[in-house]
Amino acid sequence: MSSQHSLLVQLPEACLLAVLRCCADDLQALFSAARAHSRLYHAASLALDSIQLTDTHQHQLDGMLLYLATHGQHVGSVNLKGFAEYEDRTTIRQLPPNLQLTSLQLDRFHVQLQPGDGFQGVLGAAASVAALKQLCLRNCELHDRHRSLAALLELRTVLEHLSITGVTLGLGMLRASCSTDVLQQLQCLTHLEFDEAVTFQGPTKAPATLHFLQALTRLADLRLVQEYDRPRSWRESTDYTITADMLSDNLTRLELFEAHIETGALAGKTLLQHLNLRRCASTDIAAGTAYLLLPLQHMQQLTHLDLNVSHIVGPQATIPAAAFSALTASSGLQYLRITGTILPEGVWQHVFPAGRQLPRLQELCVTYISHPSGSPTQFPEGSRLVSCCPGLQALVYMRLQYSAGQLAALRGLTGLHKLVLREVEGSTGGEIGEVGQLTGLRRLTLCTKHTIEGSLQLTKLQHLTSLDYSY
């Protein structure tokens, strides 16, 4: 045993584990160290109960597989991330059969699935993944010609977390592998995530079938989303309908993209903490935003509300401005984003009324909002934000109307450190001078008219670390 190994053996267990975990990027070295002494062998097993590698080269993957072949029975979690560049993705074909994984996460890999040793081949023998509770495939090239993934899922009755997003090739094969009759058997699922490329559309682009969700009564986290970092040519438009019986009352997080939502589908979802609706609409033309505003009044646990409801239809005049007070009904809100919708005149006095307190709200993003007439809406009054949301740290406004007085009122937000003003309507440029009075700003983005005099006022922002200034 070398002198270095002797020193390692003398370390307290917590220190020894910390040192060995630092060797995770060189599992061959750790493998050699583990063989040098029985205590090191035991410590290595404890240190690598969870393996996480990033920017994984093929030789690093091969080294990890060699380690797992001997010590894999002690590993419960494997999280591997390959390179961002598609052509440099590492290929994974098979993990050793001795694994007892509870979690497997693969990001940016070529995953080769074959019959017989298909995905069970990637994971080892079928029995070795009997305890698998989390499976995450992100940004992978998946080759699954023989429903190997389905064969795996059919055996995984204890699976709790399933995430398949950004799978860029073999989409048709993936849809065949993840048929709805397989997914509805996963009744232990509490977390389910798919992106728009992995919905359950047929070859004719018919509306997606999501009725399998009715069987997943334990779901607390449901995300049917879009992967924005994928090339545009790989994106596909989805079209699916969400009904009340598809959404578990246990949901604490719900993210939907391009969904048609039936009136009443969101009713009773009072445990929701995170709600994100992107480009969603009601199935009832006459409902307008009522399908959303009524249940929002009762979601008192919300901390994150992100609404990009760009397909508003129906008679807007039937929805009074006061109904939009539902947007801030939860006093625990920390993040509020409203974009791509039509709001009536005078709406902000109801969203941020006098006397309402949102002490935890840290970020407010309001973009592309207009009146029923089509004209852009005004900023929320700065004085209202100061009294209602004193803890605001970030403001993002796009294509709104504002005045110098509204900007001046923002001085009362003493914690404000990020401000984004883009394509603001009606600006003459001189109002920008008021931004120079917000001396606590650290990040500033301005994409609007500006004058030399107004720009000179920005020199007062002594704490800026990021400035993006253009028109």
Side-chain angles (χ1 to χ4, degrees), residues 34-99:
R35 293 191 303 177
H37 191 277
S38 59
R39 184 164 184 253
L40 290 178
Y41 179 93
H42 176 70
S45 300
L46 294 176
L48 290 184
D49 58 343
S50 177
I51 294 178
Q52 181 170 341
L53 299 179
T54 59
D55 295 333
T56 310
H57 293 273
Q58 190 71 51
H59 75 273
Q60 288 178 303
L61 177 63
D62 294 339
M64 184 201 73
L65 295 177
L66 179 60
Y67 174 84
L68 291 179
T70 304
H71 304 287
Q73 69 274 18
H74 302 294
V75 178
S77 173
V78 172
N79 186 347
L80 306 178
K81 181 176 289 188
F83 287 95
E85 294 78 10
Y86 175 77
E87 59 274 9
D88 292 329
R89 292 186 180 182
T90 308
T91 298
I92 183 168
R93 293 182 175 86
Q94 186 170 3
L95 295 177
N98 60 332
L99 297 181

Side-chain angles (χ1 to χ4, degrees), residues 209 314 328 458:
T209 301
T328 52
L458 300 183

Side-chain angles (χ1 to χ4, degrees), residues 216-350:
L216 306 181
T217 57
R218 299 187 184 184
L219 275 183
D221 188 333
L222 174 61
R223 309 179 200 181
L224 306 175
V225 297
Q226 180 186 39
E227 287 290 313
Y228 287 96
D229 58 348
R230 298 171 58 212
R232 185 179 299 275
S233 60
W234 288 348
R235 298 181 188 169
E236 299 187 14
S237 178
T238 56
D239 181 13
Y240 54 87
T241 298
I242 296 295
T243 61
D245 55 1
M246 292 180 185
L247 300 181
S248 165
D249 287 341
N250 297 319
L251 284 174
T252 59
R253 182 178 184 128
L254 177 63
E255 297 187 30
L256 301 176
F257 173 73
E258 286 191 348
H260 297 285
I261 303 176
E262 284 191 357
T263 302
L266 297 175
K269 306 302 180 285
T270 56
L271 298 181
L272 277 175
Q273 300 173 19
H274 186 125
L275 179 61
N276 186 343
L277 303 181
R278 295 292 180 93
R279 298 176 64 184
C280 294
S282 172
T283 57
D284 182 357
I285 294 179
T289 56
Y291 78 100
L292 173 64
L293 297 177
L294 292 178
L296 271 179
Q297 291 279 9
H298 304 286
M299 296 180 187
Q300 298 296 316
Q301 305 300 317
L302 276 182
T303 61
H304 185 115
L305 180 57
D306 189 337
L307 303 178
N308 181 334
V309 193
S310 60
H311 299 294
I312 299 291
V313 291
Q316 294 298 322
T318 63
I319 304 176
F324 288 85
S325 65
L327 297 176
T328 52
S330 171
S331 61
L333 271 183
Q334 300 174 19
Y335 176 93
L336 176 60
R337 182 176 184 268
I338 313 167
T339 186
T341 191
I342 298 173
L343 299 179
E345 297 280 356
V347 69
W348 298 123
Q349 63 182 320
H350 301 286

